[in-house]
Amino acid sequence: MITAIFGATSGIAKEIACELAKRNHGLVLVARDSNKLETIATHISAINPKIKIVTIIWDLSESKSLDLLISKILSEVPDIDVALLAYGILGDQSKACSETKELLNLIETNYTSACVLLMHLANYFESRKSGTIATITSVAGDRGRQSNYAYGSTKAGLSAYLQGLRNKLYSKNITVLDIKPGFVDTQMTRHLSKNLLFADPKDVAISIVKAIQAKKDYLYTPWYWKYIMLVIKNIPEFLFKRTKT
Amino acid sequence: MEYQSWGKTFEFKQYKALLETNPFKLPIVEKNKFLLPHGLGRSYGDSCLNKDNYLVPMRLHNNFINFDRDKGILKCQAGCSLPEVLDLIVKDNWFLPVTPGTKYVTIGGAIANDIHGKNHHESGSFGNHLLSFDLLRSDNSITHCTKTENTDLFRATIGGLGLTGIILNAEIELSPISGPYINQEIIKYDSLSEFFHLTEESNSKFHHTVAWLDCFAKNEKLGRGLFIRGNHSSEVIDRDKIKVYKPITSIPVEFPGFVLNPITMKIFNFLYYNKQISKYKKSKVYYDNFFYPLDSVNNWNKIYGKRGMFQYQCVISYKDKQDAVKEILKQISNSKAGSFLGVIKTFGNKPSLGLLSFPKPGVTIALDFPNKGEKTLKLFNNLDAIVKEANGRLYPAKDSRMSNEMFKFSFPNYEEFLKYTDSAFSSSFIRRVLGGDNI
């Protein structure tokens, strides 16, 4: 089994890659920072020296060249069984409210390029008539809130795209998994003060790998976020719009 | 960073400064501020604190570099935790050459405190199994240190409390094992002399020995406890079943001060000593339960309440060590200041490599005390006098209050050590124990 991870240097992706390595998956790791990527590839190789690890340096926010990326991957490995999109930026909400550049960057990286990549991956998987496409979105996409709606909306859009893709690819026996993590203790959340709700990326990675293997459609991780978001989603708008979160 | 060490007796504020990577460089901070590398913060006192200065979080650098499964040599970044290392090595029948009583420490912390464990009588301390490490210093140079290369820095950094620079990565010689289980024996013993007798009998036959001590016992029962000894079992199990345990429970809040008092602790000690009805009890236990019994309760230090706890760990190195140990235990028992966590063990003759290493041949006692302020500190001063008389020393990793005098007595090599510390680094501990003669 070969898994391609897009955004392999992200906190959760690294742990997923380690878990997959333990389960003897070959790996294609794509990221833009060559030094970080090499460090992670070495780390994974120490965990399981027997698997094949391919590293590709690529800027995933460059939507227009993503078809070339897929070709490059397929020139290195015979095929891909699982594709995982694990890249994204949190951005700065206050900057995104006034700076065009910040907002555009957020949307391009998190939504636009991800949709383009998913399009190419969907076509590839359709031609091989099997496989799994997994994408890390966020609980932030479940409801727009003033503190992070720029980020949240990119994830909400992505979830809707995945939902449509799932519908389209069902007859081709392809699984589309939407992963919605809550707060996870990684580089992305380093600036936030940690509390009980912060999950260990290792635990999150294990639940994601299990969900991929079980061919689930969506996953809230840790599990209790499903219920937290159920409540949040059902608060009537006339009340929610008054909140300060 | 509002951060407290394990004993929770200090409320210091420190700031975070991140290491730069590619290439590795120290963070740039204000001119009069110091750095201190920070792992998992299990030191009890202020050796891992840097009041009003900077901590450099090392857990961000927790990658493996190479694991030679044939020779049992692991090279990894210093921020790797022992659970991460165990998760990698136990499945392939390797174990840590030395492990402390908790697995929640980093490789860097293990080196910086030259940690010891239940197998010291045979294997010495962590530094004895260190092949090399790379040290980043304030001139942004990276020095490769081994027993034969840059040996001065090698010896200064082992037990060096993070004051010589930042350990980026280390190469460790692991110990081969046949499986993850330990054949454990627990023996209920009645007196200190029986402890010494058991030690003599066990040290040549068992790789791991330690005793839990009832520090409320008096008179002829002084020093009674449970002697624990074990060897790795040759029983093998399915690779997939080999896991690193996580805490099964967590203490959510600090207990109110009255919970741990002489009465409750005496009761606990009595029950714990008598939990085993028979004198000898043999069992096979998973390594995690044998080496890390306290780790199953997350944040157990919160039991000591908001005031926190002190740990007193000393080593007595003296021909009449039985008398010195008796005297220490008498003082503690009479003061009624102790607690339910007390251990005693003999150290072997393998010399520690670090200039500030704690272990030396003799007997080590480690006891937890609820922080009762002046009363506890007065007891410790009395204990210091006994330790001094017995040519012993105190352990910086556990210390919150040793004096300048006691520090210099414990570590006669301290002046040599100071030659190798890095001027960009300092800690609350070293500033306290050196007092006026500053670093």
Side-chain angles (χ1 to χ4, degrees):
Chain A
M1 285 274 262
I2 297 178
T3 301
I5 302 181
F6 300 90
T9 53
S10 77
I12 301 178
K14 176 191 163 186
E15 299 303 336
I16 294 174
C18 292
E19 270 308 305
L20 291 170
K22 285 182 196 169
R23 290 158 209 246
N24 293 314
H25 274 235
L27 295 169
V28 176
L29 306 174
V30 184
R32 63 186 163 157
D33 185 325
S34 63
N35 185 258
K36 274 195 197 146
L37 191 56
E38 204 190 302
T39 305
I40 286 172
T42 307
H43 174 77
I44 297 169
S45 192
I47 291 173
N48 188 346
K50 297 196 191 107
I51 55 166
K52 179 169 182 161
I53 302 173
V54 172
T55 55
I56 298 176
I57 311 297
W58 206 276
D59 186 344
L60 292 161
S61 63
E62 300 278 324
S63 308
K64 298 203 173 117
S65 56
L66 291 170
D67 53 337
L68 297 172
L69 171 60
I70 306 288
S71 309
K72 181 148 172 72
I73 294 175
L74 293 168
S75 71
E76 307 263 0
V77 292
D79 67 359
I80 310 167
D81 298 285
V82 179
L84 169 69
L85 271 74
Y87 71 97
I89 48 176
L90 193 53
D92 182 325
Q93 178 62 46
S94 49
K95 266 199 199 161
C97 287
S98 53
E99 288 173 40
T100 311
K101 199 169 165 204
E102 176 75 14
L103 186 57
L104 281 179
N105 191 28
L106 198 50
I107 296 170
E108 181 82 36
T109 305
N110 289 7
Y111 179 74
T112 311
S113 69
C115 290
V116 173
L117 183 55
L118 286 166
M119 176 189 79
H120 293 306
L121 287 167
N123 291 335
Y124 166 72
F125 280 112
E126 234 182 315
S127 66
R128 80 193 282 276
K129 293 199 170 63
S130 72
T132 301
I133 301 175
T135 304
I136 300 181
T137 59
S138 172
V139 296
D142 278 12
R143 186 146 204 173
R145 317 180 340 248
Q146 65 170 311
S147 64
N148 69 354
Y149 62 88
Y151 171 79
S153 70
T154 63
K155 295 301 192 178
L158 201 48
S159 283
Y161 190 91
L162 289 165
Q163 196 167 38
L165 210 53
R166 184 179 302 125
N167 188 206
K168 178 176 181 220
L169 298 175
Y170 176 72
S171 56
K172 300 284 186 325
N173 194 30
I174 296 160
T175 307
V176 177
L177 168 63
D178 183 353
I179 302 161
K180 298 186 181 195
F183 294 119
V184 188
D185 185 8
T186 65
Q187 180 66 29
M188 187 181 254
T189 56
R190 201 125 276 144
H191 58 291
L192 301 172
S193 54
K194 298 291 147 83
N195 57 45
L196 270 178
L197 281 178
F198 275 82
D200 186 336
K202 286 190 175 68
D203 295 330
V204 165
I206 292 172
S207 60
I208 290 172
V209 169
K210 284 187 179 161
I212 291 173
Q213 291 184 329
K215 296 194 186 292
K216 292 209 151 134
D217 296 331
Y218 72 89
L219 173 76
Y220 280 92
T221 176
W223 58 272
Y224 48 79
W225 281 98
K226 181 175 177 180
Y227 303 99
I228 296 176
M229 296 323 289
L230 193 59
V231 171
I232 303 272
K233 279 192 282 192
N234 285 297
I235 296 173
E237 190 65 11
F238 78 91
L239 282 177
F240 198 89
K241 67 183 182 184
R242 293 157 208 247
T243 63
K244 295 237 187 289
T245 48
Chain B
M1 220 161 127
E2 278 300 339
Y3 164 71
Q4 289 190 295
S5 55
W6 194 249
K8 289 165 122 37
T9 50
F10 296 102
E11 291 201 19
F12 290 165
K13 204 178 192 151
Q14 38 255 308
Y15 310 100
K16 231 187 321 192
L18 300 181
L19 201 59
E20 278 180 47
T21 58
N22 194 32
F24 278 107
K25 269 203 272 176
L26 289 182
I28 298 172
V29 298
E30 302 94 297
K31 234 184 175 156
N32 58 343
K33 296 283 186 191
F34 298 104
L35 303 170
L36 184 68
H38 176 65
L40 281 164
R42 255 50 178 196
S43 291
Y44 282 68
D46 52 359
S47 60
C48 61
L49 298 177
N50 205 5
K51 184 180 183 189
D52 299 331
N53 284 274
Y54 288 89
L55 292 178
V56 182
M58 292 306 294
R59 284 288 290 142
L60 300 173
H61 313 286
N62 67 341
N63 294 299
F64 302 130
I65 297 171
N66 187 51
F67 177 27
D68 185 331
R69 285 167 167 84
D70 297 319
K71 296 194 187 126
I73 295 176
L74 174 67
K75 187 172 181 188
C76 62
Q77 290 186 319
C80 287
S81 65
L82 298 191
E84 285 165 353
V85 171
L86 290 166
D87 189 46
L88 179 70
I89 66 177
V90 177
K91 299 194 289 287
D92 286 307
N93 293 328
W94 292 101
F95 202 71
L96 294 163
V98 170
T99 181
T102 172
K103 55 185 189 273
Y104 297 113
V105 300
T106 56
I107 294 293
I111 298 170
N113 294 283
D114 197 12
I115 54 163
H116 59 270
K118 297 179 174 62
N119 65 349
H120 187 280
H121 59 283
E122 256 185 18
S123 305
S125 51
F126 200 80
N128 292 108
H129 304 272
L130 199 50
L131 292 171
S132 72
F133 55 80
D134 289 320
L135 188 72
L136 173 68
R137 311 197 88 202
S138 53
D139 56 358
N140 283 323
S141 64
I142 297 177
T143 312
H144 187 69
C145 303
T146 70
K147 279 187 195 138
T148 49
E149 260 176 274
N150 297 303
T151 46
D152 296 328
L153 260 186
F154 188 72
R155 293 192 66 216
T157 306
I158 294 173
L161 306 170
L163 298 169
T164 58
I166 299 214
I167 301 170
L168 294 175
N169 59 65
E171 220 179 341
I172 307 152
E173 225 167 21
L174 305 171
S175 296
I177 53 169
S178 34
Y181 285 99
I182 307 276
N183 288 323
Q184 169 185 273
E185 289 180 21
I186 303 182
I187 303 158
K188 214 163 141 173
Y189 68 91
D190 298 317
S191 66
L192 198 56
S193 49
E194 203 186 334
F195 163 76
F196 283 109
H197 175 76
L198 277 168
T199 298
E200 229 185 277
E201 178 199 290
S202 312
N203 275 0
S204 55
K205 291 186 269 177
F206 291 88
H207 294 305
H208 305 283
T209 62
V210 74
W212 169 82
L213 184 42
D214 178 358
C215 59
F216 283 93
K218 279 178 149 61
N219 306 320
E220 44 331 310
K221 296 201 197 116
L222 195 72
R224 76 172 180 187
L226 299 174
F227 194 93
I228 303 159
R229 58 195 194 184
N231 286 325
H232 277 277
S233 158
S234 53
E235 174 164 329
V236 291
I237 61 168
D238 202 345
R239 250 178 90 100
D240 297 325
K241 295 213 174 84
I242 300 175
K243 287 195 178 1
V244 179
Y245 286 178
K246 293 205 163 176
I248 51 178
T249 184
S250 180
I251 308 288
V253 288
E254 279 102 356
F255 282 15
F258 60 79
V259 172
L260 281 189
N261 59 62
I263 300 170
T264 54
M265 290 197 285
K266 235 177 150 174
I267 295 173
F268 176 92
N269 278 13
F270 175 80
L271 289 173
Y272 193 75
Y273 176 68
N274 289 302
K275 71 179 168 108
Q276 177 174 305
I277 298 172
S278 57
K279 190 169 168 74
Y280 276 86
K281 190 171 167 213
K282 277 192 190 172
S283 54
K284 190 166 62 216
V285 295
Y286 192 66
Y287 79 85
D288 215 306
N289 297 116
F290 180 81
F291 290 110
Y292 316 117
L294 285 177
D295 284 352
S296 57
V297 182
N298 205 13
N299 296 323
W300 61 259
N301 54 345
K302 286 190 176 165
I303 292 173
Y304 287 91
K306 280 204 155 59
R307 300 198 68 180
M309 66 163 146
F310 289 115
Q311 189 177 91
Y312 191 88
Q313 180 162 8
C314 61
V315 54
I316 308 283
S317 163
Y318 189 64
K319 59 177 165 56
D320 288 316
K321 50 184 182 266
Q322 278 216 40
D323 289 339
V325 175
K326 255 198 193 125
E327 195 46 47
I328 288 177
L329 294 179
K330 243 189 234 166
Q331 286 266 346
I332 293 169
S333 180
N334 290 341
S335 74
K336 293 196 177 59
S339 86
F340 51 90
L341 279 166
V343 289
I344 180 169
K345 189 196 158 38
T346 46
F347 279 154
N349 294 324
K350 207 160 188 180
S352 301
L353 297 180
L355 292 170
L356 285 194
S357 283
F358 165 71
K360 63 178 183 175
V363 184
T364 183
I365 308 174
L367 297 134
D368 286 344
F369 296 84
N371 176 7
K372 299 278 186 227
E374 271 312 306
K375 189 174 162 201
T376 324
L377 296 173
K378 188 159 180 276
L379 169 67
F380 285 10
N381 288 336
N382 294 343
L383 297 179
D384 280 0
I386 305 169
V387 172
K388 246 183 124 169
E389 174 105 16
N391 196 24
R393 60 159 77 120
L394 298 183
Y395 190 15
K398 309 290 181 81
D399 179 72
S400 309
R401 38 59 63 195
M402 77 166 99
S403 62
N404 173 283
E405 202 212 331
M406 195 60 189
F407 174 72
K408 288 176 173 167
F409 180 85
S410 293
F411 303 104
N413 288 329
Y414 80 94
E415 274 172 327
E416 164 129 30
F417 169 73
L418 290 177
K419 283 194 217 154
Y420 299 103
T421 53
D422 188 306
S423 56
F425 291 78
S426 177
S427 65
S428 291
F429 171 81
I430 202 74
R431 292 194 293 275
R432 173 172 59 80
V433 298
L434 288 180
D437 15 333
N438 220 349
I439 181 173

